[in-house]
Amino acid sequence: VAEAGRDVPGGVSVLQRERDALENRAERILESRIAETMRAVGLSRPLPLFGGQAILWPPVDVELRSPPRVLTVSPRDEIRLIRDVLLDPDLTRAEIEVIEAAVEASGQFSALVDAIGGVAVYPAIVRDSRSYASSVNTIAHEWVHHYLFFYPLGRAFFQSSTLRTINETVADIVAEEVDDLVFAAWPGVQPQEPAPPDRVESDGLLFQLRLDVDDLLAAGRVEEAEDLMEEVRVELNALGRGFRRINQAFFAFNGLYATSAASSSPIGPLLRTLRDESPTLVDFLREDIDSYDDAQV
């Protein structure tokens, strides 16, 4: 940046202002497209005192910048999220490894410090280095969390890992549909492409690994499970899926998203069935699912 700004009056500060202006414009475009899509599917709400007037609530609002990293902790002998903590997004690789080593020093825990795509503070923070397609998906996902905050499911987010998984999976399912609708309305920008064959293959490897690790840990074969995770991680890297670490903490965090290949939870299929049986996306999203039993259709 310094080299690029050397001959520009004002140097880096001018380039930073230009970047900020472009970022603000990109945020407004993404917000308006996603909000228009949400309104089109019927997610606006009537205002209590103004008759037929309706608004999309909460408004779609995003800040494109680096979100925090997350430290995830799981026991070594089972995949279970004990704790996750948001950390500085600018941690170096060396600092990350020191944190993980400190958590794992007792031999009881598995730790992972990893990047995340977004976080549902308000406005949502979404990674600014993502593609257009990925940004649309992540912004829609985080907006669903904002929306659900006004319903029992969203308010119960932290009550249990099951309810958190339901929340995350509902947000994933809605974001997938919003993705399709946004690209149908604005087809001229980076049209979506099907997952490449290597991604399909790597998802299959990751899902099978999760099943195998679940079985090994249930049998008390912890070290064998850890050896297998490292073996498959190397194989996945060769397919272009560059995971720095795959361990119990990796699956504890990524398994919260029950439609992902890292999850062995039955919640994903249950919620997909519920969506298939809901007449519209609005009907699905407004279901008062506040327990695992409620998600069983």
Side-chain angles (χ1 to χ4, degrees):
V1 174
E3 287 294 320
R6 177 174 292 175
D7 298 325
V8 178
V12 174
S13 62
V14 171
L15 294 176
Q16 184 63 53
R17 286 197 296 273
E18 290 177 355
R19 183 192 183 283
D20 290 345
L22 290 171
E23 178 185 294
N24 291 337
R25 184 183 177 200
E27 290 167 356
R28 289 195 299 272
I29 291 170
L30 290 166
E31 289 165 355
S32 66
R33 290 180 179 182
I34 293 168
E36 186 172 332
T37 301
M38 297 297 190
R39 286 192 289 268
V41 300
L43 284 167
S44 297
R45 306 180 188 194
L47 292 170
L49 302 179
F50 297 94
Q53 297 297 316
I55 62 169
L56 183 69
W57 185 263
V60 179
D61 197 1
V62 63
E63 180 70 24
L64 294 175
R65 60 184 176 89
S66 295
R69 292 184 182 271
V70 62
L71 164 65
T72 304
V73 182
S74 169
R76 285 183 66 208
D77 59 357
E78 64 175 314
I79 294 171
R80 177 169 57 86
L81 183 64
I82 296 176
R83 191 178 183 193
D84 56 342
V85 181
L86 297 179
L87 302 176
D88 188 333
D90 298 321
L91 288 171
T92 66
R93 173 73 172 264
E95 290 169 333
I96 287 169
E97 291 174 350
V98 166
I99 292 169
E100 290 171 341
V103 174
E104 295 176 345
S106 69
Q108 296 179 306
F109 304 109
S110 167
L112 180 69
V113 176
D114 208 356
I116 54 176
V119 60
V121 293
Y122 195 82
I125 298 173
V126 171
R127 185 168 299 282
D128 56 3
S129 60
R130 291 198 153 195
S131 68
Y132 172 70
S134 181
S135 296
V136 168
N137 184 279
T138 306
I139 294 167
H141 177 104
E142 303 306 346
W143 181 84
V144 174
H145 287 308
H146 296 158
Y147 179 92
L148 289 175
F149 177 77
F150 297 94
Y151 290 86
L153 176 59
R155 291 194 294 272
F157 185 93
F158 291 107
Q159 288 184 10
S160 71
S161 60
T162 295
L163 286 166
R164 185 169 175 181
T165 298
I166 294 173
N167 268 276
E168 296 291 5
T169 307
V170 167
D172 269 354
I173 290 171
V174 174
E176 287 173 9
E177 293 197 37
V178 170
D179 241 357
D180 291 339
L181 293 169
V182 168
F183 278 92
W186 292 275
V189 182
Q190 296 178 342
Q192 290 171 301
E193 297 179 357
D198 58 349
R199 180 61 183 254
V200 175
E201 180 183 355
S202 63
D203 273 353
L205 282 172
L206 188 60
F207 181 64
Q208 186 59 53
L209 175 62
R210 174 62 196 264
L211 297 180
D212 292 342
V213 168
D214 284 343
D215 288 343
L216 288 168
L217 294 179
R221 296 153 65 184
V222 176
E223 292 184 359
E224 189 175 340
E226 291 171 340
D227 289 343
L228 180 62
M229 285 187 278
E230 177 57 18
E231 177 185 325
V232 175
R233 184 192 72 82
V234 172
E235 189 175 353
L236 287 167
N237 285 353
L239 290 171
R241 299 289 293 277
F243 297 113
R244 182 178 62 87
R245 302 186 86 190
I246 295 180
N247 57 13
Q248 296 89 331
F250 170 92
F251 281 120
F253 182 76
N254 289 284
L256 292 171
Y257 305 83
T259 58
S260 79
S263 175
S264 58
S265 170
I267 290 173
L270 286 169
L271 287 174
R272 285 208 183 277
T273 299
L274 181 61
R275 172 62 192 103
D276 290 342
E277 297 186 355
S278 299
T280 67
L281 188 61
V282 176
D283 292 315
F284 171 69
L285 195 51
R286 289 184 177 165
E287 291 281 352
D288 283 336
I289 306 168
D290 55 9
S291 74
Y292 179 74
D293 290 339
D294 290 339
Q296 300 185 63
V297 294

